[in-house]
Amino acid sequence: MSSVRLGLPAQRGELRDRREDGHHLHHLVWRLGPGVRVCSSAVLGGGIGPRAWILNAQVPGGYPRLDPDRHLAEIAAAEGLTGPGAGLMTAADVAAYTTAQDGGVTATVTAGLGVRGWAAAAPDDDRAPSFRPGTVNIVVTLPAALSDAALVNAVATATEAKVQALLDAGLDCSGTPTDAVCVAAPEPGPDGGEPFAGPRSTWGARIARAVHTAVLAGARPAA
């Protein structure tokens, strides 16, 4: 039996705007509907599970709130989003998002690279605060169901492609301290879904190429 594939659209996300405390801000919304699950490191709805929507919300620099998950839930409610979802946050200009598609995979990226460095920094170099919302946020959608292991592998593959793109853009870093990734795919059927999503697998290679292209386009202005 082949892996379950549904008509999950190759979505870039719907660009929306709002006013908060005198700021004109943007956010991207993916209305996934039923039958989709997400693997993510999102501050709201992270982990692996069914998700009806994804939200990537812009916030002002110097973000003052200490409850980003609640803040994201408020934005989602204002959009009429219901059911479980995943919420990301960034100080980057969400309206400047970049996208790329490859073989049915769509990667959408918002790139905030003002605070960047290497993941394995020495303790003395770790001067960034634990939460600063200027991040590289990556949302990947694909039409093929993935197993649990492949979903986790897809996040790793997207991260590898992000780092490759940052280096190709001439940036001396692996990312920012608060980068986040979401991968959305149909729920698997009895076969359990595609077993692999590493960079040399069929779907992993497509994820890697789409993410690399989208991150490179977003990172070049910061180079």
Side-chain angles (χ1 to χ4, degrees), residues 8 17 22-23 39 132 181-182 187 212 216:
L8 184 68
D17 65 351
H23 298 283
C39 178
R132 185 174 290 188
V181 181
C182 283
E187 292 182 345
H212 180 271
L216 186 60

Side-chain angles (χ1 to χ4, degrees), residues 16-27 57-65 71 75 90-93:
R16 306 280 291 170
D17 65 351
R18 68 190 193 281
R19 292 276 180 179
E20 282 185 8
D21 301 323
H23 298 283
H24 183 206
L25 303 168
H26 292 89
H27 52 273
Q58 180 184 358
V59 296
Y63 182 69
R65 292 183 60 160
H71 188 187
I75 298 170
T90 180
D93 180 7

Side-chain angles (χ1 to χ4, degrees), residues 67-173:
D67 58 345
D69 53 344
R70 182 173 180 179
H71 188 187
L72 286 162
E74 292 168 357
I75 298 170
E79 281 289 347
L81 302 174
T82 59
L88 310 167
M89 190 169 278
T90 180
D93 180 7
V94 167
Y97 70 93
T98 56
T99 66
Q101 297 185 23
D102 192 295
V105 172
T106 298
T108 304
V109 171
T110 54
L113 289 159
V115 180
R116 59 182 186 261
W118 294 103
D124 291 344
D125 294 334
D126 192 15
R127 293 184 287 268
S130 58
F131 174 76
R132 185 174 290 188
T135 65
V136 178
N137 283 342
I138 300 169
V139 176
V140 175
T141 62
L142 66 153
L146 302 178
S147 68
D148 286 357
L151 271 174
V152 175
N153 205 174
V155 171
T157 295
T159 303
E160 289 184 42
K162 175 200 72 174
V163 175
Q164 182 181 347
L166 294 176
L167 296 177
D168 287 346
L171 297 174
D172 189 22
C173 67

